[in-house]
Amino acid sequence: MRRTNPLLALTSAAMALPAFSATQPVESLISIRATVYEEEDAPAHQILVGADDRYDIDIGQFRLLTPIGSDWSVDLSVTHEAMSGASPWYNIQGANQQTSLIMSGATIRDARTEVSLTTTRYQDDSSISIGLTRSDEDDYEAKAISVSGEWDFNNKLSTLSIGLSYSTDDIRPTDAPNFGRVLKEDKSSHSFSVGWGQILNKHSSLHVGLDITSHDGFLSDPYKLRDTRPDDRLEWALGLKYRRYFDNQNAALHLDYRYYHDDWGINSHTLYSAWYQSLGSDFKLVPNLRYYSQTKADFYSVTNNFALPLTTNQSSDFRLAGYGAYTFGLKAIYDIDTWRVSLSVDRYISSEDYGHSGSKGEHPAAVKFLLTSIGLDFRF
Amino acid sequence: MELSRHAFTAMGCPCEVRLFCDDTKLAEEAAARCVAEARRFEAKYSRYLPGSITTQINSSAGRSPVTIDPETASILDYSGVCFEQSHGLFDITSGVLRTIWHPTMQTLPTNEALDQCLSLVGWNKIQRSADSIFLPSAGMEVDFGGVVKEYAADALAEIAKSLGIRSGLINLGGDIRIIGPQPCGSAWSIGITHPTEKDSAFAVIEVEEGAITTSGSYERYFEIGENKYSHLINPITGWPVSGLLSVSIFAPLAIVAGSIASIALLNTKEAGLEFLNECHLPYLAIDQNMDSYGNLAK
Amino acid sequence: MAKKIVFLALFSCCLTACETVQPWERGRLAKPEMQFNADGSDDQLYSQVYDSKEASSGGNGTAGAGCGCN
């Protein structure tokens, strides 16, 4: 009588023993990041009025992840951003049929602080998390709560995750009376997400995720003139992540794709790839490339039309235009004992000409930025 | 990187934790935690120690159930799978047969003594729930010796790994579980002790990860009249086993390697070799004539 | 629509190509550079930057908390 391979039967039974089933982190981790975000100035000849210093943001992040007892862990993160610079106020048709930017008057300086706390409870094949987040800046306050769970199947070859979150934001634009801005508005968001992670073989794994979010309330940009957007927005995004390890090259490949769709008429494709190349046992170099392309919102127009009634939706915000963008990035990671130092640089350039929606370059506020970040991780 | 070696005694055998680590403090802490865990296993499962769960279970035989914790319950579950996979040969209740087969005896046991002893043996006689165990007849006993020592090697390796140790090995009385390859990815050289010449190696194996355990009856056999009898008793017939002399197995986990080696030894030589071949793992089996089988040394 | 069909077809091919990978064979999969979410702090940073500069958000399979941007 041929029975099943005893090795498999014994190993499955052994996996149930306590020494082999810990999924809870056993080490604590502290992470610090300092990042500088610098937007490239808009072309001077396309600015009709106002300063040309575009946005700069300095970002500091702190994170602590630590196990508590044998079944719990806590994840605390604090982010502080200091922003300065001018942002586009509205667009008009200038001389020679060109679109011109009218920048906002004064240079804005603002700071944002965000604190997020998540607690996770671990059991043999599953975990549950609850998270609270609070974000504050001069003109904006956001609070969010999220609940999520993860379940392992097939000897941990597959993982299902489900999450729900709710957030509520209060907006009180600065200098509201002087600029005819709304005084106080709010908005809320409900989000549902589901994900499936699957180990394919010894070298590779795949993750699929679906997020559905519904926003309600004041969704317009209060700092842009004649920016009126619908008071609700339903969006969903489907993401695929593929990971593959190459033994001969000592490297790992990341391939991520996301399709996004909302009821403002915008859909987008994002393709991201990264190559984690190990050089020696302590150093990794990670070149990466991201391509992004979105269609325009139904109510988008490249110049603001002041003749339309106030209640008609319109926006000339570049973020709602049809365009594409490339990010060229390089990251270096160096491990020393229990420390990890990382340095990354990302260059982002966007243009209507790069997108799949066929729009031609007209918008003067296409975003180009440089992101430089240095990080330190400490495990104990 | 420096090699640190910590030798200690636990579970009745010489043990060693070998680690390569840049941080000497971390290496010391990891070694200390490993030694503490080995002692915890010993205190909890040794049938010789009065406070152990094994002693509690055995002294309550025929009287009352004993509450057990999840770790003990999962070790019992694992022992049950060993019982099934060995078709009843691996039986943690078989220890009581020691009383009728022991090294100082001069004559073979009588049939009555054999039957009487066999009535106290049988994994299927154990009454269990998720958190309790009851041995229904006084005199029945369980012995975790065939499982816990190898499980401890795995548990210690997991502890070292969880502390960040990437290179090292655990050696508990010849049951070896590797934490990670030597620095620069090179393999550890593990010697398989010669069955009869204890100070020399029968073979040297190069391994980067996984476990090697050796089980053998060469050290413990006894003579009655002109015949030699193994200390391993077949729990179904009640008679000593006559089969392979020693088995060394490579498997990813020490507990699995140990169980497979033990099961192979409890069989006749032919059945033991067939069992080893079914597992599709590298092994080295030596029979009573000192002939070797298996591809472990290649 | 065609894109969605291609995606689903690829996805189901991957599932049928799955092998059983024993726990001791998962060394490569456990490496930090093989995780789906490489680095909590970095993921948060890039999400924040792209969500505030582009129209899209999400796709991670994790329900986020509000970002505070309009």
Side-chain angles (χ1 to χ4, degrees):
Chain A
M1 178 198 67
R2 270 273 155 266
R3 51 187 172 214
T4 55
N5 184 335
L7 170 63
L8 294 180
L10 289 168
T11 308
S12 296
M15 282 298 111
L17 292 159
F20 307 119
S21 59
T23 40
Q24 176 218 26
V26 280
E27 290 178 313
S28 301
L29 166 73
I30 288 184
S31 278
I32 306 176
R33 296 275 179 284
T35 306
V36 172
Y37 169 95
E38 296 161 296
E39 255 178 35
E40 202 171 271
D41 301 342
H45 65 274
Q46 284 192 287
I47 299 178
L48 201 57
V49 177
D52 67 354
D53 28 277
R54 291 294 296 278
Y55 244 49
D56 278 358
I57 313 179
D58 294 332
I59 307 166
Q61 289 169 283
F62 167 84
R63 182 180 180 214
L64 168 68
L65 172 62
T66 182
I68 307 241
S70 58
D71 298 323
W72 295 81
S73 74
V74 158
D75 191 347
L76 170 71
S77 63
V78 180
T79 305
H80 184 80
E81 297 173 2
M83 310 88 110
S84 70
S87 73
W89 193 13
Y90 59 94
N91 297 355
I92 59 166
Q93 192 95 31
N96 304 329
Q97 306 298 325
Q98 262 211 339
T99 307
S100 292
L101 278 178
I102 309 291
M103 303 295 283
S104 65
T107 297
I108 301 169
R109 273 183 226 289
D110 199 1
R112 183 178 87 96
T113 307
E114 179 183 292
V115 179
S116 182
L117 182 68
T118 305
T119 309
T120 305
R121 163 116 221 254
Y122 295 86
Q123 287 173 295
D124 273 345
D125 288 315
S126 63
S127 64
I128 308 259
S129 301
I130 296 188
L132 292 169
T133 306
R134 168 91 187 228
S135 171
D136 273 307
E137 54 198 288
D138 250 1
D139 55 350
Y140 210 103
E141 188 185 284
K143 292 183 277 225
I145 179 168
S146 68
V147 176
S148 61
E150 264 194 17
W151 293 267
D152 291 326
F153 302 97
N154 299 334
N155 240 329
K156 295 197 207 303
L157 287 174
S158 316
T159 306
L160 170 69
S161 48
I162 296 183
L164 287 167
S165 73
Y166 170 72
S167 68
T168 159
D169 303 2
D170 283 324
I171 307 152
R172 278 172 226 248
T174 54
D175 269 339
N178 293 339
F179 287 89
R181 296 173 179 148
V182 294
L183 286 173
K184 174 179 174 324
E185 292 290 344
D186 53 52
K187 82 177 209 225
S188 68
S189 307
H190 297 78
S191 183
F192 165 77
S193 70
V194 61
W196 183 267
Q198 179 69 44
I199 292 179
L200 302 173
N201 53 48
K202 281 183 279 226
H203 297 91
S204 59
S205 53
L206 184 71
H207 184 273
V208 188
L210 175 69
D211 295 339
I212 304 175
T213 308
S214 146
H215 303 280
D216 292 281
F218 185 79
L219 304 179
S220 314
D221 187 332
Y223 294 101
K224 291 184 160 46
L225 204 56
R226 278 310 171 93
D227 186 297
T228 309
R229 305 183 195 183
D231 54 15
D232 53 45
R233 183 181 193 182
L234 180 65
E235 50 188 45
W236 60 267
L238 184 66
L240 268 171
K241 293 187 202 206
Y242 176 69
R243 302 280 176 268
R244 176 164 171 124
Y245 194 77
F246 293 88
D247 284 334
N248 294 337
Q249 285 79 10
N250 270 335
L253 169 71
H254 289 208
L255 267 181
D256 297 351
Y257 169 75
R258 173 190 63 184
Y259 176 75
Y260 166 95
H261 181 97
D262 70 18
D263 61 0
W264 284 6
I266 302 174
N267 58 65
S268 74
H269 301 280
T270 311
L271 192 59
Y272 172 80
S273 61
W275 181 259
Y276 282 70
Q277 178 66 61
S278 289
L279 300 163
S281 59
D282 296 321
F283 188 72
K284 290 186 192 56
L285 204 55
V286 191
N288 54 83
L289 177 66
R290 177 182 185 269
Y291 173 68
Y292 175 77
S293 170
Q294 70 175 46
T295 59
K296 65 181 175 62
D298 295 329
F299 50 89
Y300 167 81
S301 60
V302 68
T303 53
N304 295 92
N305 186 342
F306 296 94
L308 289 175
L310 282 171
T311 51
T312 304
N313 292 329
Q314 65 159 309
S315 176
S316 64
D317 190 336
F318 181 73
R319 291 177 292 179
L320 301 179
Y323 68 89
Y326 289 92
T327 310
F328 302 92
L330 185 65
K331 181 169 173 174
I333 306 172
Y334 189 51
D335 283 307
I336 316 164
D337 257 5
T338 50
W339 297 80
R340 166 174 293 183
V341 182
S342 61
L343 177 64
S344 63
V345 178
D346 293 277
R347 167 83 176 136
Y348 177 96
I349 45 177
S350 67
S351 163
E352 281 129 313
D353 299 337
Y354 300 156
H356 73 287
S357 61
S359 305
K360 285 289 155 231
E362 296 180 71
H363 202 297
V367 174
K368 297 180 173 52
F369 66 75
L370 185 72
L371 193 71
T372 316
S373 184
I374 183 164
L376 192 62
D377 288 350
F378 175 60
R379 275 161 218 278
F380 58 100
Chain B
M1 257 204 254
E2 288 233 339
L3 172 66
S4 64
R5 302 165 76 133
H6 306 260
F8 60 102
T9 307
M11 293 177 276
C13 53
C15 305
E16 188 187 26
V17 175
R18 271 196 228 180
L19 311 166
F20 273 105
C21 186
D22 274 333
D23 180 349
T24 39
K25 270 202 73 186
L26 178 63
E28 277 173 29
E29 196 208 326
R33 298 248 309 241
C34 285
V35 174
E37 179 76 348
R39 301 227 189 284
R40 180 188 76 83
F41 273 111
E42 181 175 33
K44 186 171 177 186
Y45 292 108
S46 166
R47 63 186 161 94
Y48 303 110
L49 294 175
S52 74
I53 190 74
T54 311
T55 306
Q56 283 178 49
I57 295 171
N58 294 346
S59 57
S60 303
R63 295 188 307 154
S64 59
V66 172
T67 309
I68 54 177
D69 69 336
E71 181 178 51
T72 306
S74 56
I75 289 176
L76 283 164
D77 290 340
Y78 180 81
S79 306
V81 176
C82 292
F83 177 83
E84 286 161 29
Q85 292 298 314
S86 65
H87 293 288
L89 292 174
F90 187 105
D91 189 329
I92 62 170
T93 63
S94 62
V96 74
L97 289 163
R98 262 179 291 108
T99 58
I100 60 166
W101 293 98
H102 50 83
T104 61
M105 56 200 292
Q106 305 294 328
T107 54
L108 295 173
T110 62
N111 282 335
E112 289 89 11
L114 215 60
D115 289 338
Q116 215 256 320
C117 205
L118 278 175
S119 70
L120 297 175
V121 173
W123 165 264
N124 288 322
K125 295 178 180 143
I126 297 178
Q127 291 169 26
R128 269 203 60 201
S129 71
D131 62 358
S132 78
I133 178 173
F134 179 52
L135 304 177
S137 313
M140 280 187 77
E141 38 174 85
V142 289
D143 181 356
F144 294 106
V147 170
V148 165
K149 180 153 146 294
E150 289 89 352
Y151 176 51
D154 289 322
L156 267 55
E158 297 298 328
I159 284 176
K161 284 203 284 187
S162 76
L163 289 171
I165 305 285
R166 304 262 168 265
S167 170
L169 60 79
I170 306 288
N171 182 348
L172 300 182
D175 294 332
I176 295 173
R177 167 71 198 278
I178 294 176
I179 299 164
Q182 300 203 52
C184 307
S186 52
W188 294 90
S189 297
I190 310 286
I192 309 287
T193 319
H194 196 282
T196 51
E197 288 150 49
K198 278 200 294 191
D199 289 332
S200 67
F202 192 89
V204 175
I205 321 286
E206 303 281 318
V207 272
E208 289 174 20
E209 54 178 16
I212 295 196
T213 63
T214 302
S215 297
S217 49
Y218 51 89
E219 278 177 340
R220 288 181 269 169
Y221 63 91
F222 50 94
E223 296 185 15
I224 300 175
E226 288 182 347
N227 297 315
K228 286 196 184 135
Y229 293 92
S230 162
H231 80 301
L232 284 179
I233 317 292
N234 181 320
I236 302 169
T237 65
W239 280 81
V241 169
S242 173
L244 295 160
L245 191 60
S246 126
V247 174
S248 301
I249 282 253
F250 169 82
L253 299 175
I255 188 176
V256 171
S259 312
I260 293 177
S262 301
I263 295 173
L265 282 171
L266 285 160
N267 274 285
T268 61
K269 172 178 152 179
E270 292 75 24
L273 287 173
E274 194 189 313
F275 178 77
L276 289 170
N277 288 326
E278 265 172 36
C279 291
H280 300 292
L281 281 176
Y283 68 88
L284 177 65
I286 304 170
D287 71 7
Q288 314 248 7
N289 300 323
M290 303 304 289
D291 292 326
S292 62
Y293 304 82
N295 57 354
L296 183 59
K298 288 151 202 157
Chain C
M1 193 57 202
K3 285 197 192 1
K4 289 183 206 170
I5 294 173
V6 168
F7 154 68
L8 279 170
L10 277 174
F11 178 49
S12 22
C13 279
C14 283
L15 279 187
T16 54
C18 296
E19 304 167 7
T20 292
V21 179
Q22 300 299 342
W24 61 90
E25 294 176 315
R26 299 186 195 182
R28 297 166 191 84
L29 300 163
K31 287 171 181 280
E33 62 265 35
M34 282 293 286
Q35 303 312 305
F36 292 121
N37 297 316
D39 189 309
S41 299
D42 286 352
D43 289 343
Q44 193 193 3
L45 173 73
Y46 286 106
S47 293
Q48 174 71 5
V49 169
Y50 288 124
D51 288 355
S52 61
K53 290 293 161 186
E54 294 171 342
S56 318
S57 57
N60 292 318
T62 50
C67 84
C69 48
N70 260 31

